[in-house]
Amino acid sequence: MSEFDSFQRFLFEDLGIRGELVRLDASWQAVLERHPYPPAVSSQLGQALAAVLLLSATIKFKGSLILQAQGHGPLNTLVAQATHQRTIRGLAHWRGEVTGETLSDIYGPGHLVLTVQNEDSEPYQGIVALEGDDLAGAIETYFSRSEQLATRLWLAADEQRAAGLLIQELPAKQRDRDDWMRVEYMADTVTEGELLNLPSQELLYRLFNEESVRLFDSEPISFRCGCSRERIESVLLTLGNHEVESILEQEDSVEVGCEFCNRRYHFDRVDIGGLFTNEIRLPSSPTRQ
């Protein structure tokens, strides 16, 4: 199977350790095509998208996982989302020139938020300070402070692709600390170039050739924005008839754009009139014909 835009799991036989690899190609290009991000910003966004895909695969859910980095520095907002269907979208907001190497240089004081939106339960959210040398380190801090399984990540992104590697202890397994330290040490030798360019099997052999590693089939990844005209209509309904009518007094129509995909939704006076008509807005019951 193709390793372009792919997610793959792997397992260290008998060690109680699992791993994941992700590569974003066309899906990453689809994100870049929608906004002219400077290199320092796109690098952070690509790493975040690789990370949120890796993290989403460590939990069983039906919905989406959202990673948000918010700070008071040059890069003040970063959002990356992955769904259980292996689709991604993301965006970033910045002001001025984004320079520096560490998170404090790029984001300033800030925090990292991970939100699980599960279709079958209430959203769950975890928040930690945005600290460390890089985004992978901040995410690892989140795992260590939430007392979850030992987890390490390596992330990379350039103008062509984004990639990530994750290793994690398996739950309910008898663990040997020496095994984890050995695998962690070997994984820590990976370079950004290897992560971005080596095929999965070659990369795993390069890192773990002395271990018994089983690589599973790849799963495809794609860019997909969840916006729709119906969702925008819900936003307008939340604003209320009076607020929307006040916009129409100044403009001939209401135009709403999606920041993730740059799609524009246009509503004229007839559309707005129908939107706030009860007979049109009443939803059908699931059992109603």
Side-chain angles (χ1 to χ4, degrees), residues 207-221:
L207 296 174
F208 311 117
N209 61 79
E210 297 181 359
E211 305 293 333
S212 179
V213 180
R214 189 193 336 165
L215 179 64
F216 295 90
D217 289 340
S218 64
E219 302 175 35
I221 296 166

Side-chain angles (χ1 to χ4, degrees), residues 14 51 102 138 156 278-279:
D14 304 319
T102 66
N278 289 335
E279 288 77 10

Side-chain angles (χ1 to χ4, degrees), residues 6 18 24 56 62 75 82-83 93 121 132 143 153 165 174 190 202 223 232 236 257 260 278 282 284:
S6 66
R18 64 184 172 190
L24 308 177
S56 69
K62 187 177 181 181
L75 178 51
T83 72
H93 292 161
S121 61
F143 273 88
L153 294 96
L165 164 69
Q174 185 175 0
V190 72
E202 186 176 343
F223 170 85
I232 301 300
L236 295 177
F260 286 99
N278 289 335
L282 281 176
S284 299

